[in-house]
Every structure is written in structure tokens, then in C-alpha cells.
């Protein structure tokens, strides 16, 4: 990789703003923002750009614009800076960047909004952060060259020092910071070629392991401010219902309850602490009006019916209808998927401290600039008057990336309604609020029809997908809904990797009052299952081995093939298993990463089963931190397995039937298979790993169950009754 | 006022007797290392020790603690907990990290009673602690490493 000259880089390297007294704070940043971004604590700090600050005490702070929710951005992203800067990993500290679309927009989303999602963090930062590090390195070298009156080309940077080997001297980055901050940034910097990398590709320890292994990591729920009050909101039992009347007499009688206020989302009980707020809310009487009365069982029947007739085309290759009319060897299958809750371990929480012309919000914010704009509009402030402090999120899986900023909006609404109390508000959800609060992965039905040609190869594939659109009516609609097709409903099916001469994918997007949202790996959660089970069904119909069958149909897809072969080889594909056991495979691309998983299961006569072992192969381009990649695959497999085994939200007359972990079970340690992860060596640009481990696990398990029992699973979660002998 | 001993310090707590210990720790004493996950003894995020035994503080009323000694992640000390924390860091167990205080408190109680747990022992002792990030494989590995460290 050589010197990069493109528009992005030029914007990045705009020349300096001198701020009197010989101090150059940076180049391309308006001063106000710069101060907010990099702090003001030391005039001799060197902050060459919005991502980096070097202090005289030799600490290097990397500002991270993305949310750390477990996926490892506080480790992977600073590694990119460290690589080019030639810093010592130990001297690097991580800090979350403030909300600012101009400085910190997500480049993978066009750069206009700050946020984390779609496994884009590394792809966005791959060039941006390496350039940030390289620019700073060149300036530090230039500073040393000026100090020592030598040519910069005779110096090099290494392990946090600029070294002059000719004259046996060196200076630490901290010592050079003040002088470097007076220089203009270079116009061109050269990124290191891969052969010179010392940091990228190493399993460096996570920057957050220490804090998270000692109880010291701070989440929104841990923020405590003087005189802070806690708010719990009574929300309608049916989505979309409104408050008809409420009686707060008993709630207000609970010691510690300060006030009860109506907000657009419901009725908030505001109290000195959580327990008083909880008891107050339990004692509150609210009458509700209207709301969604749907039942998921009715939806299921309705969706199956809808899948009988054509939808809007999302993919069209050849002529599937014509091929179908004359096909002989036909297969048909209906796949069903329930609503799913994210159930992150940290219940939703934000702290809102509103003071006249300024508001501070602490949250595990995932769409910072959107959260900022929505809070500002509720409070009658300008977005720049709202400071978002992004903390660790105790999981998210998509839940914090809500286009309506729901929990932040509630926090702001309570702050507004209780303004006279002049107290910061901690808005908190309980687990029940979370499980029953909507924003689910939508319920879906897929209707698949396929047929084989004389050689057993697929002649046609027609897939009709029915389910709510996640994005219609959101700010993301214009970007991701094209001609009625919500990309998040069809991704993973409309771009089916297998070579099939007649392919048609159709979509129907019925509306419902149940709020829906992306959920770790989004559309791939269901398309990955339907496509990978159905291709297995075609292989069976063709009397071919599932791996051999896929291999042939993927001959034009080397990266799919790469993970398929690696996973199959490592799993010992083809070696015999005892009776009652089975092995299944699935391969799926999502977010530009490729993952294959082989699952091994043991099934009992009563249909109960265990998933014993999973072998995973991943190709995500350059493996920046192999250990973080492995951890994300392990976690993705566990997360997807939870949905396969027990994830299901049902509604009856509009009321959610589940409420906590006893009736919405998630994976526990005794259900965790042993997992092996293998990384395909790749020189492609790095792609995400937070989500792509999820899609293949459910179909791999279903295919393994078929291998063990001869019974096909087409409904999630898997019902052991379907496996009984 | 109710007296409560946490991490070897006795506090006079001004809270209703039915207040769950969890919320006394978090909202009154400011010990936020212990987490709220479900409020119904279903997830283990709120695990602390009562006289060395792991309990779910979210369903333990303040009044029921009595003279019992409470230990939280902030105050836990001794060889087992140190070995566990170190193993957790070495193996990069945490992802989002939210469940890990509870995991570590359950894990240290296990190692104190069973110096060399098998995978089955670990599964049995830790099944009450949910990790939504599914760091379970590393929790098992880290427990084995900590056990090995303690064995010296
Ligand atoms: S919060 Fe106590 S067990 Fe979940
Ligand atoms: S590390 Fe996220 S819940 Fe356990």
C-alpha cells in the first residue's frame, strides 16, 4: 500500500488553524469542536486530528467515535492508529468521542451521521485511522528533526520514540508533543505495506478487559449525579395505545416518589431511587385507550397466505416462473420465524442532565448524532447544545441503534416534564420493560420453491419473503429501501451465492403496530436459515453430499468456498458419527464477511438434543486482531444458538406473552457447545465480525438434526417435538 | 436505620426493609460494580457473597441480610478472586462486560469450594449466570486457568 491521494484524504489533511501563542491545536477542526473533541487540559498536548492526542506525559489517547458494546472497537481501532504511529501499545488509552457528525460521521454510511452498525466500524476506520496515525508520526519525526537539526529522512519512529540512530539519541513522543503541535501536517503520508506491520494481525489484549474484570467499567446505569432522580415509565400494554386517564394517588404515597408525570410515551414515576420508583409504578393506576390487538398466531396464518401470491421482485435471474411451469423434480417448503427481543444484559438506561442552554446525556449511545438531534428537539435546544457521553453499552445487538432514539427520547421527555425539580434524570427500564417493549426482530414467513435439473443441480429457486419492513418510516428509508424493497428484509437471499439459472426473490411487507428493529445480523437472521436449510434439502433431493453440492454451486465464489472447505476439513466432514449424532453445515456471507459453520448434535429418542461442537471458519479480510475475531465468532454462535433453541416473542390480542428470562430463555453456559474458530488468511480489506458469526449457526444445527434424524426443521425456535422418533 | 456490613464495613442504611440488597448497594452505597439484569433471580448479574456463599442480591431484602457479611466485586479479595480476575484478563473473557461481575463472584465461590472443577462442575455452578454475549467458552477456559494458577 503506497501513498494515498484521494478526495477523502485531502479533506482529512486540510491545513492548520493557529491559535495564538505558538500553539497549533490541529488542522481541519473548528476550534470549539476541537476543544470538545480533544480536551483542553494541556497546552503542550499534541492533537494532530480528531482521533488522537499525545500528552507530554507520553500517554496517547485515541478517540473512538464508535460504540463499544462488546465487539472490540476499543481494541481493534486503536491498533490501526498504533500501527502507523509506531506507538507502544501500553501507552495507548481509549476515550469515547463526543457526538459530532462532521468529525465523526460513519464513512460507511456516507459520513453524515455518527453511529455504529452493520459491522462497519473497521471498514470505516481502516484508512481513516491509519492515516491519522501516519500523519502524527510524520509530524513527530519532523519535530525531532527540527530539534536536532538533522534531516527527517535519517530518523525513524519506533515503540513510542523518534530515533536518531546515526547520533545514538532518541526522544519520546511525549517529549516531542509540544513542538509537533506547532507544525503543519504533511501533505502526503505513506501507509506501511503489510509486510512491515507489527501491530495489525496480532492478538493484542483488549483495552477494556481489566475494567470489565474488576467491576470498574462504567455503563449508563452506573452514572450517579448529585440529586439525581430515577424514572420508570408505565408504558401501554398494547403497542400504540394512549393514556386515557391515570390515578397517581397511591404511587405518590410511596416514600421516595417525587412526582408522577405524563409524557408522550406513557406515565413516568420519578423517585429518589430505583426501588421507590418501582414501587410507585406498581401502585400507579393507568387506563389505556386503543392500541394494536394483533396475535402472532393470526399473523403467522396471514403471512403464509400472503406468501401464496407474488410480491415485489427483489432478485430476478432467468425466468423462474417459466422454469417452474415445466419443472419435474419440485420441492416446496415454508419457513417460519418469530419476533425476537434483543435482551441485552444491561437494561436500557440513560441519564439526562438538562441545565438551561445545555444538556448532558450519558448513554450507551449507538446513533450518537441522531440521539443528540432527537433529545435537542424535545428540549428545545440546538443539537450542539446536547453533549452525548458515550459509555460502554452492556450489549446492544442493534437495540441501541433505534431510529426513534426511544429511550433517550423518554429520558428527555421526563427531564422536560420535571423541569421544576431541577434534577438530573436517570431513565431506566426493567427486564420486563425490555422484553415487552417492542422493537423486535420482525416475524417472517418464507415460502420456497425449487426444482432440480436432470443432473440434480438446482434449475430454479423462488423465494417469497413476508414480514414487516424495519426501515420504512425511519430516516434510513431513503438510503436502504429501494422501489418498495427494504434491503434488510431480503439481504442474504436476493444476493444468493449459489449459481442457479432461474432465481426469483420476492418480498411482501405487511404493516403491523408492533415496533420492529434490526437484531444482530438483521435480515441474515432469517434469510441465512431459509437459504441454507433449503439448499441442504436440494442436496438431499439430488442425493449428494451437502458440502460437495455447495462446493460445485459456489465455483464462482472463492471466498465462500474458502470458508466452506476450511470448516469442513477442520470438522472432519465425512468421518462417521455414532447413531443419534449428526453433523450439518451452513455457509453465509453477511456484511462482506464470509462464515461457514459445522455443527455436531446428539439427539435423544424423545427429540431432546444437545449441540456438542461447532467448527467455524471466517474470512473477514485482513485479520486485525485474531483473538477479537474469534471472540466475536464464539459470541455470535452463542447468540444465534439462543434464538435457534428458545427465542420467541408471542403476542395475544396485542399483549406480549413473555416478560423475563424464565419465559424468554437465552443461552446458558450448560448449552454452550465447544467451539473452534479458524481464520482464512486474506489480504482483502478488513470487514466486520460483530454480526457474521450469527447467521450460519441455526441452519447448521437444523441440518445436523436432519442428518441425525431425517427430520427437517423449518420453524424457529426448534421444537424437539418435531424430532421425536 | 438498618445496619449492613459490606466489604467489612458496617453502614447504617436508611432504606425501607423490603429494598432489595442490590439497590441498597447501588443506589445507597454507590457500589455499582454489582449489576441489575432481571430483578428476579434469573440472570446472576447481581451476584454477591453472603458469608462467602453466592446469592442474588436483587431478590434479597435488606432486612433479611441481618448480621451477614456481604462481599461485592469491589471488596472481594483473596487468592481465588485474584487468580480469576487475572485469568479473565489474560483470556479476554469480557465482551460487553456487563455480566462479568456476577460471573466472577459465582466463579470465585466455585473455586473456593472446588479447587479443580470439571467442565460439568463449571456448567452446574455457573448456569445461573447469563452472559448474553455468550462468553461461556472463555469463562470455562478461564476457570480452568485460575484453578491451575491456584494449584501453583
Ligand atoms: S438481577 Fe439478580 S439475578 Fe438477575
Ligand atoms: S460479556 Fe456481555 S453479557 Fe456477558
Amino acid at each position: 500500500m503506497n501513498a494515498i491521494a484521494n478526495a477523502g484524504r485531502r479533506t482529512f489533511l486540510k491545513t492548520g488553524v493557529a491559535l495564538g501563542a505558538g500553539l497549533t491545536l490541529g488542522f481541519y477542526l473548528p476550534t470549539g469542536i476541537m476543544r470538545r473533541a480533544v480536551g483542553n487540559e494541556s497546552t503542550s498536548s499534541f492533537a494532530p486530528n480528531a482521533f488522537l492526542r499525545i500528552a507530554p506525559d507520553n500517554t496517547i489517547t485515541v478517540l473512538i467515535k464508535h460504540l463499544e458494546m462488546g465487539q472490540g472497537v476499543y481494541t481493534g481501532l486503536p491498533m490501526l492508529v498504533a500501527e502507523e504511529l509506531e506507538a507502544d501499545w501500553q501507552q495507548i488509552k481509549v476515550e469515547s468521542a463526543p457526538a459530532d457528525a462532521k468529525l465523526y460521521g460513519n464513512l460507511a454510511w456516507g459520513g453524515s451521521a455518527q453511529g455504529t452498525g452493520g459491522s462497519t466500524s473497521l471498514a470505516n476506520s481502516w484508512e481513516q485511522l491509519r492515516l491519522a496515525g501516519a500523519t502524527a508520526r510524520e509530524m513527530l519525526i519532523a519535530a525531532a528533526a527540527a530539534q536536532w537539526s538533522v534531516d527527517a529522512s535519517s530518523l525513524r519512529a519506533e515503540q513510542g520514540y523518534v530515533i536518531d540512530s546515526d547520533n545514538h539519541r532518541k526522544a519520546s513522543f511525549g517529549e516531542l508533543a509540544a513542538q509537533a503541535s506547532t507544525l503543519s501536517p504533511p501533505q502526503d503520508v505513506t501507509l506501511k505495506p503489510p509486510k512491515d506491520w507489527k501491530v495489525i494481525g496480532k492478538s493484542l489484549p483488549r483495552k477494556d478487559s481489566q475494567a470489565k474484570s474488576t467491576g470498574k467499567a462504567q455503563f449508563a446505569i452506573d452514572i450517579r449525579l448529585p440529586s439525581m432522580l430515577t424514572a420508570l415509565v408505565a408504558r401501554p400494554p398494547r403497542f400504540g395505545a394512549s393514556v386515557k386517564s391515570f390515578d397517581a394517588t397511591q404511587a405518590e404515597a410511596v416514600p421516595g416518589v417525587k412526582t408522577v408525570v405524563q409524557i408522550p410515551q406513557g406515565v413516568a414515576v420519578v423517585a429518589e431511587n430505583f426501588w421507590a420508583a418501582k414501587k410507585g409504578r406498581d401502585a400507579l393506576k393507568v387506563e389505556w385507550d386503543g392500541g394494536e390487538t394483533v396475535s402472532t398466531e393470526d399473523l403467522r396464518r396471514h403471512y403464509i397466505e400472503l406468501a401464496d401470491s407474488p410480491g415485489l421482485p427483489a432478485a430476478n435471474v432467468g425466468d423462474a416462473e417459466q422454469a417452474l411451469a415445466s419443472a419435474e423434480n419440485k420441492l416446496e417448503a415454508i419457513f417460519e420465524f418469530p419476533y425476537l427481543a434483543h435482551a441485552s444484559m444491561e437494561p436500557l438506561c440513560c441519564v439526562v442532565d438538562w441545565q438551561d442552554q445545555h444538556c448532558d446525556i450519558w448513554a450507551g449511545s449507538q446513533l450518537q448524532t441522531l440521539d443528540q438531534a432527537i433529545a435537542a428537539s424535545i428540549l428545545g435546544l440546538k443539537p450542539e447544545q446536547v453533549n452525548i457521553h458515550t459509555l460502554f453499552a452492556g450489549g446492544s445487538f442493534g437495540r441501541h441503534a433505534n431510529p426513534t432514539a426511544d429511550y433517550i427520547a423518554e429520558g428527555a421527555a421526563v427531564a422536560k416534564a420535571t423541569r421544576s425539580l431541577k434534577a438530573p434524570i436517570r431513565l431506566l427500564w426493567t427486564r420486563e420493560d425490555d422484553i415487552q417493549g417492542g422493537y423486535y426482530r420482525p416475524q417472517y414467513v418464507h415460502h420456497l420453491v425449487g426444482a432440480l435439473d436432470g443432473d440434480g443441480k438446482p434449475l430454479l429457486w423462488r423465494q417469497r419473503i413476508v414480514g414487516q419492513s424495519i426501515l420504512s418510516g425511519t430516516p434510513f428509508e431513503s438510503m436502504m429501501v429501494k422501489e418498495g424493497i427494504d434491503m434488510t428484509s431480503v439481504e442474504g437471499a436476493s444476493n444468493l451465492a449459489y449459481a442457479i439459472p432461474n432465481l426469483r426473490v420476492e418480498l411482501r411487507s405487511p404493516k403491523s403496530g408492533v415496533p420492529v428493529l434490526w437484531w444482530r445480523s438483521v435480515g441474515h437472521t432469517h434469510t441465512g436459515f431459509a437459504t441454507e436449510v433449503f439448499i441442504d434439502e436440494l442436496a438431499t433431493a439430488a442425493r449428494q453430499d451437502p458440502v460437495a453440492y455447495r462446493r460445485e454451486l459456489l465455483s464462482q465464489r472463492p471466498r465462500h468456498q474458502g470458508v466452506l472447505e476450511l470448516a469442513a476439513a477442520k470438522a472432519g466432514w465425512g468421518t462417521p458419527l455414532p447413531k443419534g449424532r449428526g453433523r450439518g453445515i451452513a455457509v453465509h456471507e453477511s456484511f462482506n464477511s464470509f462464515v461457514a459453520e459445522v455443527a455436531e448434535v446428539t439427539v435423544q429418542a424423545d427429540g431432546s438434543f444437545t449441540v456438542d461442537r461447532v467448527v467455524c471458519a471466517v474470512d473477514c479480510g485482513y485479520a486485525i486482531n485474531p483473538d477479537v475475531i474469534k471472540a466475536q465468532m464464539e459470541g455470535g454462535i452463542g447468540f444465534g444458538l439462543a434464538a435457534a433453541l428458545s427465542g420467541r416473542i408471542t403476542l395475544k390480542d396485542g399483549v406480549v406473552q413473555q416478560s423475563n428470562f424464565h419465559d424468554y430463555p437465552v443461552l446458558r453456559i450448560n448449552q454452550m457447545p465447544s467451539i473452534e474458530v479458524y481464520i482464512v488468511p486474506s489480504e482483502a480489506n478488513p470487514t466486520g465480525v460483530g454480526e457474521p458469526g450469527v447467521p450460519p449457526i441455526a441452519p447448521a444445527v437444523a441440518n445436523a438434526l436432519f442428518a441425525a434424524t431425517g427430520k427437517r426443521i423449518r420453524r424457529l425456535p426448534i421444537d424437539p417435538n418435531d424430532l421425536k422418533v | 436505620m438498618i445496619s449492613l456490613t459490606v466489604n467489612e464495613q458496617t453502614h447504617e442504611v436508611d432504606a425501607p426493609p423490603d429494598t432489595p440488597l442490590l439497590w441498597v448497594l447501588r443506589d445507597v452505597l454507590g457500589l455499582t460494580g454489582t449489576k441489575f439484569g432481571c430483578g428476579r433471580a434469573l440472570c446472576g448479574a447481581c451476584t454477591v457473597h453472603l458469608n462467602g456463599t453466592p446469592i442474588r442480591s436483587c431478590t434479597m431484602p435488606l432486612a433479611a441480610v441481618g448480621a451477614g457479611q456481604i462481599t461485592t466485586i469491589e471488596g472481594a479479595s483473596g487468592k481465588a478472586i485474584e487468580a480469576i480476575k487475572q485469568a479473565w484478563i489474560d483470556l479476554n473473557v469480557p465482551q460487553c462486560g456487563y455480566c462479568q461481575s456476577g460471573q466472577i463472584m459465582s466463579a470465585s465461590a466455585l473455586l473456593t469450594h472446588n479447587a479443580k472443577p470439571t467442565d460439568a462442575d463449571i456448567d452446574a455452578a455457573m448456569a445461573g449466570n447469563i452472559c448474553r454475549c455468550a462468553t461461556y467458552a472463555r469463562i470455562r477456559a478461564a476457570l480452568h486457568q485460575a484453578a491451575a494458577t491456584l494449584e501453583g
Side-chain angles (χ1 to χ4, degrees), chain A residues 15-29 31 181-184:
Chain A
T15 349
V17 190
L19 281 182
L23 169 68
T24 304
L25 270 179
F27 41 91
Y28 98 110
L29 297 184
T31 50
S181 70
T182 66
L183 302 175
S184 308

Side-chain angles (χ1 to χ4, degrees), chain B residues 35-39 41-46 56 58:
Chain B
K35 302 300 189 209
F36 167 55
C38 70
L42 297 164
C43 79
C46 65
R56 311 298 182 216
C58 67

Side-chain angles (χ1 to χ4, degrees), chain A residues 385-686:
Chain A
Q385 293 173 309
V386 174
N387 194 5
I388 303 263
H389 303 262
T390 304
L391 298 160
F392 288 127
S396 170
F397 315 114
R399 183 62 183 85
H400 289 227
N402 190 335
T404 71
D406 64 333
Y407 69 105
I408 304 264
E410 285 181 352
V414 175
K416 189 175 169 185
T418 59
R419 184 150 206 205
S420 58
L421 298 177
K422 292 200 181 312
I425 297 294
R426 171 175 70 174
L427 185 286
L428 186 56
W429 288 42
T430 62
R431 179 60 54 198
E432 287 78 8
D433 296 340
D434 172 59
I435 300 288
Q436 306 193 319
Y439 296 104
Y440 305 127
R441 195 287 304 271
Q443 181 169 343
Y444 288 97
V445 163
H446 291 220
H447 184 168
L448 277 106
V449 180
L452 304 179
D453 66 15
D455 300 327
K457 283 198 200 148
L459 175 68
L460 76 97
W461 177 296
R462 193 190 74 194
Q463 183 166 9
R464 287 193 183 132
I465 302 172
V466 182
Q468 277 169 264
S469 164
I470 293 171
L471 293 174
S472 79
T474 74
F476 294 88
E477 180 165 1
S478 58
M479 198 161 97
M480 292 165 84
V481 182
K482 299 268 183 284
E483 293 176 23
I485 302 289
D486 181 335
M487 285 316 297
T488 68
S489 298
V490 298
E491 57 184 1
S494 58
N495 56 340
L496 190 72
Y498 299 111
I500 295 173
N502 302 289
L503 169 75
R504 189 166 171 94
V505 177
E506 297 174 359
L507 175 67
R508 305 196 64 162
S509 308
K511 293 200 185 320
S512 143
V514 180
V516 292
L517 191 59
W518 23 51
W519 186 99
R520 196 174 186 177
S521 82
V522 200
H524 303 278
T525 57
H526 51 103
T527 61
F529 186 80
T531 57
E532 278 305 290
V533 171
F534 199 62
I535 198 75
D536 230 64
E537 298 198 31
L538 295 180
T540 306
R543 296 175 195 287
Q544 290 191 32
D545 172 75
V547 170
Y549 196 66
R550 285 178 172 82
R551 177 187 297 134
E552 198 176 329
L553 296 174
L554 293 171
S555 61
Q556 303 302 311
R557 303 285 190 140
R559 296 181 76 185
H560 283 82
Q561 272 199 340
V563 291
L564 180 79
E565 300 297 353
L566 183 59
K570 296 290 185 186
W573 188 265
T575 56
L577 286 170
K579 195 169 150 24
R581 300 193 61 195
R583 200 183 270 130
I585 194 162
V587 55
H588 194 77
E589 173 194 355
S590 59
F591 310 98
N592 304 313
S593 292
F594 303 77
V595 180
E597 287 163 18
V598 176
E600 275 178 34
V601 300
T602 305
V603 192
Q604 310 301 329
D606 65 357
S608 64
F609 66 95
T610 52
V611 181
D612 310 316
R613 177 185 181 217
V614 176
V615 176
C616 168
V618 52
D619 174 354
C620 54
Y622 278 121
I624 292 177
N625 185 319
D627 191 58
V628 169
I629 294 168
K630 286 181 181 170
Q632 284 308 298
M633 292 301 121
E634 293 161 10
I637 288 165
F639 196 82
L641 195 53
L645 298 181
S646 56
R648 171 169 42 202
I649 291 288
T650 55
L651 289 89
K652 210 168 165 206
D653 301 327
V655 177
V656 178
Q657 305 289 288
Q658 293 73 25
S659 64
N660 207 316
F661 291 122
H662 63 293
D663 51 11
Y664 187 76
V666 298
L667 200 78
R668 291 181 184 268
I669 194 168
N670 54 307
Q671 297 170 299
M672 186 74 170
S674 85
I675 297 178
E676 298 152 50
V677 179
Y678 302 94
I679 300 171
V680 175
S682 167
E683 303 207 331
N685 281 352

Side-chain angles (χ1 to χ4, degrees), chain A residues 336-338 529 533 599 601 603 607-611 640-648 697-706 709 711-724:
Chain A
E336 298 173 37
F337 306 89
F529 186 80
V533 171
V601 300
V603 192
S608 64
F609 66 95
T610 52
V611 181
L641 195 53
L645 298 181
S646 56
R648 171 169 42 202
I697 186 61
V701 168
N703 293 338
L705 290 168
F706 174 78
T709 65
K711 296 190 198 295
R712 279 293 171 194
I713 298 293
R714 300 195 186 96
R715 263 191 309 183
L716 293 180
I718 298 166
D719 183 349
N721 287 316
D722 293 346
L723 297 167
K724 266 193 202 142

